[in-house]
Every structure is written in structure tokens, then in C-alpha cells.
């Protein structure tokens, strides 16, 4: 084979507000690669199949030490197939999964490192392993099991309930016998929340969150994916000893908005606030049971999920913006290539 | 006996900033009482001995439902002696303790209610039962045992370390084998912190908290009595999975100051934030062991404490202001009467 295009998505500039496709990120078609002859030096060559676009991307664009590097391609959760290998433990045809998949069509990987060989349930697409069966689903699963201290009959409020984290939390909460209040940003998503079992589902753009929580609360658990005004409303309607699981605050990623009066509520109601982030959750404690149960339940319909798959690496910038604005309809995945 | 003065301290107006003695609270000498003949109607008559003045008084002046009532006397933690009784279980000469002691020289109590009969260690004054052996000491003890998850070798930062809560926390942390960083508002208090065993003690008015924490941290536990800038500094210097025990935020009680960027730190470092408030701590779990051990350790010097006793019910307003401004030298107690 002669050299072919090896397109990539570069992190080009730190955004001031929302990321701008073509400016914050640039789709670059200039690199080439010859998959048959590119030197592997003991490593292996992967072809990118699916890439996850997650809310944390905006944080990673802020210049923190965990973030994207200016002038380099983005990297994130993804699944790729091994097309050539000089690593004995990584056979051709196997799939690798992890948070370091570079947003480029082909990549030479010197060693497995943080990637893992992943087996897929036959009835699931790989994209599901970036959502309900991947990092977002695992974050929901581990955070809920470790920190919710959920008891049957309690009331939980879940924001961004139609997302891959929120929709898993709703279903775990229903399994545990809780009353679930869930919000999302459209009527269509509200229907999905009800299909997941949410007892109270509403569109936060047309229904006042405070009014709902005053009527249906107080809440014993708040799973926060958004921060901002929803968090304030949850604080105001929290029961004593309520647990606040702080998984995200996308409402503040693109502006300087701050949350006020937090500590008054934390102290007065003896709240318990836990930061929920994949990197610091007890993976060894929960991942074996997660993989033993969740993919099968997703495949047989016992657990529901949705995803919004966009075709083409050139669309990454648009999808990033959609995720930050919440205009995506479900967990956002970019399909880079078929196998 | 003919009627005698029964002075009291009235809550007169909601303060805008710091409470103003004589305006926020008014010392009122007009009521009279005849202790020998006042009808008890099955209740009992108590003579107030000592009253606690605590930081939360400012919150109780804010008009919340748990607060002081305008036009009525203040009430708070105190100890009183029973001088007449028609209640069989409450003998004359016994002492009652609780958070509902009215700031008045004599009070007729219809039933024990939230008060409890208290026995005193022979080598301690009753005032100690309002500080190290009372609500502040118990808050420290229960909060630390229940939520610190302390491990030997960890680093804890304690603000308002010379107060009755902070000084107990410092000593409990040293018993558990931690490195203790503690701050207070004067050089004299800094000396006291070192006498309690603090490894690093500093005057936050003359030494930069961030610089200390950057050098001596990161911190695994933060016991917060002050909020505001110290809290921000602690968040910035927290280790992953650090525990934040939010017991008070006096820096914000008298102004509109807000804490920002809280959620960024909570999430990124997977922090665990617990509201610590006496009313919602597990009393039944800890109070028996507290009373079985702590007063004796305070009496024999194994645990240290300080207090600043001011004589005279007419001084309550001044003491309230001193506590809010932090110009008191130690746990503030007002001595109303000798037995």
C-alpha cells in the first residue's frame, strides 16, 4: 500500500467561552501514513474506530496539566482495532480501549500503557463502550455504589438525566427503590427519562427546578452533572444529611459563573459532598462486577441507553460544541471508521 | 424574700454587619421576680450560673427559623442551678445544662425538655462544660471521629485553632498521629497552639496561609471554622480524597463574601466535604464515651483548654461582638452568678 491520508484533530487555541470549531480545534488532513510499512519498533499500529466526546473536554482545554496540548491532536476515550503488531501480547484484530486514544485515523502505539484489550458483547456496538458500558457508565456505577448511601424510599434528583452518566444513575436508583426526579433540556429527553423509570421528569428550560424540588422534595441525594443554578436549587431543597455527588458542572465550564452560599447549606444541613471523578474512583473494587453485569444488561434491554453517533473525524469540533451547549441528543460519539 | 431584679438580654434588632451592643441586643433590668413565691405550676426555678457565647449567635440573628426571636431574650448553651422545684425528678441543688438556657438571671422551667441534669467533675468549673467539655468539644469529638477518616502520618489543617472546637481537634489529631498545621489570630494564640502539640502554628494575620500550606501540605484533612480565604487556600492545597469538615465559616457571617471555585476542587480532587453541626451529629453513638473520658482528661491536664470568662449578664452584647470579631482570647463564657 502506498501512503494514505492520516487525518487528525488538533488543539489549536484555548477558547474564551464556548469552543469554536475550526479555531479551537482544527481538522488537519495533511499527515500521511503507510500502514504496511510504518516502523513499529516493537509496538503496534491501531486504526481508530470510535471516539468519545465528553463534557470534560472543555476543562481539558483550559490549560491545566491534565489537559490537551496546544498544537497536538486531541486524545480521549476511544476504541481502535489493531492492524499490525510487533507486540506479542497485542494480536492483530484485537481491540484496544482507553482514555489516551489520539484523535487521528491511525496511530503507532509503542506499548499498551493505559490502554486495555477489550472484548465486546456480541449484541453491542463498540460505541456503547464509550458510554453506558464505558467511562460514563462506570463513573455512574462506582460513584453511586460508593458514595450515594442510597436507601429505598429516599428521593434522588439527577440533572442531565438523558446523558450517559445521568441515565445510568436513574436506572441504578430505581433498582435501589428510590423516588427519582430527573431533568434534561428538551421534551424529547424528558420522554427518555420516563422510559428509564424516572418518577418525575422535566425540561429544565421550560419548568422551574426549584418549584419541582419544593413539590417533590426534599431530596436525600443529588447527582450533579451541571452545577450552577440547579445545584443551588438542590442545596435549597436538600434534606438533612443529604449526599451531593458532584460529578460535573458543565454550566460553569464556559463562563465565570460561581456558586454561592454553598457552605451555609453544607453546614446547616450536615450535607455530605463527594467529588466523583473516574480517575479517583475505586476501579479495582467495582470494574470486575461492572463488566460482568452491565454490558449484558445493556444488551438484553434490562438497562437502557441512548447515543448520538456522528460519522467522520472532521466532525469532532462540531460535536465538542454541541456537548458543551447541550444540543446533542444523547451520549456523543464520533464514528471514525468501520472495521 | 420580696421581689428582686431579674435582668435579661433581649434580641432587639437584626444587625446589618457586626452586632452592635445596646442596639442588636439590649440589657434589660426592668423585670422582677420573687424566687420564693413565683408560681412553678409543677415546674422548677433555675438560677443562671454561666452562659456560652458562640459564633453561631450571628447566624441565629439572621432571622432563620432556628434563630433568636426579636423582642425576646437570647437563649443558648448554659448551666443553671435548681433553686426551687415542684418536679420530683429535678431536685433543688441539681444543675441543668442545655442549649435552651434563657439569658436571664432566673427562669421558671415547666419541664426538663431539652435540658439535662449534669454532674460536674470536681476539678472542673461549670464554664468548662460550655467549652471543651460541652457543645464545642463534643462537636469536635464527634465530627473528628465520624468523618475525618484520619490515618497516622496524614496532614491536617485547623483554623481558629485556639477556639474550643479547634483546640480539641488539634489534640485529637495529635493523638491519632497526624501532622497538625494550625492557625489563629495572634502570636499569643500561636503559642497556645504549639502547647497543644501543633507541629506548625501561625498567625494568619501576619503569615500567608497559602505559603504555609504550599510548604507544609498538601493537606489530607481540613477542619474549617472560618470559611472565606482560608477555605480557598485549603482547597487549592488539598490532596486527592482529602476530607473537608465544614464546622463554621465565621468570616462570612458578617458580610456577603462568597467562596468561589469550590466545585472545581471538589470534583477534580475527589474531595469529601461534610457539614459538621451539633444538631445532626450522632449523639447517642459518642456522648457516653465523651463524658466518660474527656472531662477527666481535661481535669488531669492530659487535654488542655482555655476560656475567657467575663463577669456580668450586662456584658453579653460586648462578648457577642468580640466573638464575631475574633478579639476574644479563648472560648467566651459569661459568668452570670456564683452559686
Amino acid at each position: 500500500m502506498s501512503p494514505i491520508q492520516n487525518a487528525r484533530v488538533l488543539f489549536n487555541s484555548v477558547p474564551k467561552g464556548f469552543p469554536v470549531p475550526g479555531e479551537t480545534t482544527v481538522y488537519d488532513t495533511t499527515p500521511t501514513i503507510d500502514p504496511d510499512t510504518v516502523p513499529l519498533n516493537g509496538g503496534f499500529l491501531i486504526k481508530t474506530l470510535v471516539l468519545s466526546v465528553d463534557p470534560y473536554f472543555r476543562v481539558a482545554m483550559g490549560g491545566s496539566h491534565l489537559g490537551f496540548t496546544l498544537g497536538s491532536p486531541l486524545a480521549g476515550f476511544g476504541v481502535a482495532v489493531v492492524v499490525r503488531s510487533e507486540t506479542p501480547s497485542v494480536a492483530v484484530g484485537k481491540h484496544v480501549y482507553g482514555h489516551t486514544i489520539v484523535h487521528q485515523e491511525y496511530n503507532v502505539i509503542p506499548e499498551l500503557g493505559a490502554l486495555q484489550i477489550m472484548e465486546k458483547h456480541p449484541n453491542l456496538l463498540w460505541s456503547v463502550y464509550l458510554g453506558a458500558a464505558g467511562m460514563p457508565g462506570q463513573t455512574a456505577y462506582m460513584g453511586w455504589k460508593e458514595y450515594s448511601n442510597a436507601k429505598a424510599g429516599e428521593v434522588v434528583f439527577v440533572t442531565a438525566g438523558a446523558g450517559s452518566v445521568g441515565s445510568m444513575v436513574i436506572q441504578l436508583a430505581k433498582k435501589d427503590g428510590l423516588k427519582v426526579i430527573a431533568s434534561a433540556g428538551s421534551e424529547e429527553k424528558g420522554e427518555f427519562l420516563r422510559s428509564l423509570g424516572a418518577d418525575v421528569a422535566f425540561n429544565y428550560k421550560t419548568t422551574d427546578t426549584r418549584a419541582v424540588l419544593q413539590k417533590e422534595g426534599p431530596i436525600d441525594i443529588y447527582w450533579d452533572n451541571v452545577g450552577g443554578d440547579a445545584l443551588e436549587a438542590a442545596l435549597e431543597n436538600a434534606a438533612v444529611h443529604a449526599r451531593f455527588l458532584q460529578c460535573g458542572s458543565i454550566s460553569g465550564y464556559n463562563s465565570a459563573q460561581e456558586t454561592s452560599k454553598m457552605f451555609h447549606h453544607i453546614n446547616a444541613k450536615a450535607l455530605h459532598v463527594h467529588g466523583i471523578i473516574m480517575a479517583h474512583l475505586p476501579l479495582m473494587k467495582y470494574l470486575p462486577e461492572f463488566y460482568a453485569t452491565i454490558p449484558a444488561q445493556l444488551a438484553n434491554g434490562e438497562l437502557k441507553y441512548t447515543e448520538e453517533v456522528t460519522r467522520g473525524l472532521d466532525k469532532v469540533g462540531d460535536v465538542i460544541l454541541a456537548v458543551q451547549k447541550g444540543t446533542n441528543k444523547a451520549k456523543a460519539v464520533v464514528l471514525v471508521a468501520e472495521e
Side-chain angles (χ1 to χ4, degrees), chain A residues 40 43-46 82 84-85 87 90 96 107-109 111-112:
Chain A
L40 301 182
F44 55 95
L45 177 69
I46 59 173
V82 179
R84 271 179 62 215
S85 178
T87 304
V90 182
V96 294
N107 290 285
V108 175
I109 309 295
E111 56 183 350
L112 210 50

Side-chain angles (χ1 to χ4, degrees), chain A residues 199-229:
Chain A
D199 301 279
V200 180
F202 66 99
N203 177 352
Y204 73 88
K205 292 178 180 169
T206 57
T207 302
D208 181 55
T209 300
R210 279 176 180 75
V212 174
L213 297 185
Q214 276 159 20
K215 176 166 181 277
E216 305 288 347
I219 58 175
D220 302 294
I221 304 173
Y222 176 46
W223 186 286
D224 189 12
N225 289 313
V226 303
D229 192 60

Side-chain angles (χ1 to χ4, degrees), chain A residues 66-302:
Chain A
L66 291 169
F68 301 137
T69 304
L70 281 169
S72 294
L74 305 180
F77 283 93
V79 175
V81 61
V82 179
V83 292
R84 271 179 62 215
S85 178
E86 294 174 357
T87 304
S89 63
V90 182
V92 170
K94 290 287 185 185
H95 296 80
V96 294
Y97 162 85
H99 71 282
T100 56
I101 300 286
V102 173
H103 283 219
Q104 182 154 0
E105 292 176 278
Y106 290 89
N107 290 285
V108 175
I109 309 295
E111 56 183 350
L112 210 50
L115 297 176
Q116 55 182 300
I117 306 283
M118 182 75 87
E119 301 291 335
K120 185 177 76 65
H121 190 284
N123 296 343
L124 295 177
L125 296 174
W126 277 117
S127 55
V128 180
Y129 285 79
L130 302 183
M135 180 274 285
Q138 290 163 12
T139 300
Y141 187 88
M142 293 191 287
W144 182 261
K145 301 269 180 190
E146 187 75 5
Y147 296 116
S148 72
N149 195 18
K151 291 177 276 294
E154 286 191 326
V155 179
V156 60
F157 174 43
V158 183
T159 47
S164 48
V165 173
S167 58
M168 180 66 77
V169 170
I170 290 170
Q171 294 178 88
L172 294 173
K174 288 311 299 177
K175 281 185 181 236
D176 284 350
L178 281 79
K179 171 179 170 180
V180 175
I181 308 168
S183 66
S186 72
E187 302 302 325
E188 184 185 351
K189 288 178 178 174
E191 281 304 307
F192 178 57
L193 301 184
R194 274 178 283 272
S195 81
L196 298 176
D199 301 279
V200 180
F202 66 99
N203 177 352
Y204 73 88
K205 292 178 180 169
T206 57
T207 302
D208 181 55
T209 300
R210 279 176 180 75
V212 174
L213 297 185
Q214 276 159 20
K215 176 166 181 277
E216 305 288 347
I219 58 175
D220 302 294
I221 304 173
Y222 176 46
W223 186 286
D224 189 12
N225 289 313
V226 303
D229 192 60
L231 171 57
E232 298 249 12
L235 286 165
E236 291 165 15
N237 290 283
V240 166
H241 282 305
R243 285 78 69 198
F244 275 56
L245 307 191
Q246 300 303 132
C247 188
S249 52
I250 196 165
S251 71
Y253 292 171
N254 299 283
S255 69
Q257 187 185 335
E258 301 293 356
T259 298
S260 64
K261 297 190 179 168
M262 178 71 193
F263 285 88
H264 167 72
H265 292 286
I266 289 179
N267 181 256
K269 298 170 186 166
L271 303 182
H272 310 288
V273 185
H274 300 279
I276 304 296
I277 184 167
M278 184 72 178
H280 302 308
L281 283 163
L283 307 185
M284 294 306 103
K285 180 173 175 185
Y286 290 113
L287 282 192
E289 72 185 39
F290 179 91
Y291 281 120
T293 57
I294 300 296
Q297 293 173 10
L298 291 165
N300 71 21
E302 185 179 338

Side-chain angles (χ1 to χ4, degrees), chain A residues 307-330:
Chain A
E307 56 184 15
E308 183 175 68
V309 179
T310 304
R311 299 180 79 93
L313 188 61
D314 57 313
K315 301 299 193 303
V316 165
D318 298 318
V319 176
I320 289 173
L321 179 59
V323 167
Q324 293 300 320
K325 291 206 156 182
T327 54
N328 58 314
K329 292 201 170 73

